[in-house]
Amino acid sequence: MTASRDERRMTNSVCALGIDVGSTTVKMVGVDAEGNLAWHLLEQADPRVEDQVERFLARAPCLSPPLAGGMKGGLPLVATGYGRKLVRPAARQVTEITCHAKGVYRELAHGGTLVDIGGQDSKVIGISPKGDVTDFSMNDKCAAGTGRFLENTANRLGVPLDRMGEVALSASQQVSISSTCTVFAESEVISLIAHGVAVESILRGLHRSLVKRVVAMIRTVGLTPPLMLSGGVAQNQAIPRMLEEETGETVILPRYPQLMGAYGAALMALEM
Ligand code: ADP
């Protein structure tokens, strides 16, 4: 899901809605009466959050216009994500930690350690065998260890977002990126290009650097297998592969990693 808009309808019966207003993308999910993912819409985040939320609600599958009090034409709505407080029609606003854990637990039916890597933050969440959040750690202060770190530097290398992982994995060599700061890493990349270092080796080094940051966070929470991955960056094939190399654990992914926050919110709306 790297397009600026992605929409899909799986079944006709949408009974509850969840919206995840992230810093990079906005996702909305509809679930059927059994809690199966029935519809979704994803767009790049618009700085005019409230207008975008209104557009999403207008597109959501139901017959009547949005109602106050968390109902969209009779459908309950729960909001999550960093902009969740701006979703006025939502009946409840719930943290991304709770929603990602709920969505992933429903999809994978496992307790363990969940890593969510989004556009501008990353989180490690401990989930009990019953699906409760036991512990978490969050980085939202620094772009290192988030999707933004790769996006900025890949831009410099002229590699499209959805090919970054594949190109990084194709490298036979890996350069070491010493800057953990995104801004300095960008300068380091420019200097490496000037010295004729292969793009794929630089990309491999950048991915390794991101994964090492995430592994340091995992250590603060503690790793209880299985290791699960959600968020948009989970769609980058090099990330699960390198997480496996760094931790020695198998990484498992839900079908739609980027939708897990919105899915968890929709499941909560369904329970209301
Ligand atoms: P947020 O919820 O914080 O807005 P998301 O979970 O939607 O963030 O993830 C957005 C990030 O995912 C972006 O940084 C983007 O670069 C990355 N991303 C999305 N799809 C892909 C892909 N196919 N390959 C690599 N990165 C991706």
Side-chain angles (χ1 to χ4, degrees), residues 222-243:
L223 200 172
T224 307
L227 189 53
M228 299 169 280
L229 192 56
S230 67
V233 177
Q235 292 167 165
N236 175 335
Q237 53 178 282
I239 301 297
R241 174 87 74 86
M242 288 189 184
L243 265 176

Side-chain angles (χ1 to χ4, degrees), residues 58-161:
R59 255 187 117 87
C62 78
L63 300 172
S64 46
L67 305 176
M71 309 290 272
K72 202 260 175 189
L75 298 185
L77 169 70
V78 168
T80 189
Y82 112 115
R84 62 186 178 273
K85 302 232 162 72
L86 296 168
V87 186
R88 292 187 209 285
R92 278 182 70 194
Q93 281 100 8
V94 181
T95 70
E96 302 103 283
I97 293 162
T98 305
C99 288
H100 269 268
K102 194 163 182 80
V104 170
Y105 185 76
R106 161 78 194 222
E107 274 285 289
L108 299 177
H110 265 295
T113 302
L114 169 65
V115 178
D116 163 39
I117 313 178
Q120 287 184 44
D121 64 22
S122 45
K123 309 172 198 76
V124 176
I125 306 165
I127 305 178
S128 77
K130 287 189 171 165
D132 301 315
V133 173
T134 53
D135 198 0
F136 71 90
S137 168
M138 178 161 173
N139 158 33
D140 58 358
K141 303 275 179 293
C142 161
T146 73
R148 179 59 59 91
F149 177 77
L150 288 180
E151 262 181 63
N152 282 12
T153 39
N155 245 338
R156 288 283 178 187
L157 296 167
V159 178
L161 189 69

Side-chain angles (χ1 to χ4, degrees), residues 14 17 26:
V14 171
L17 295 167
V26 177

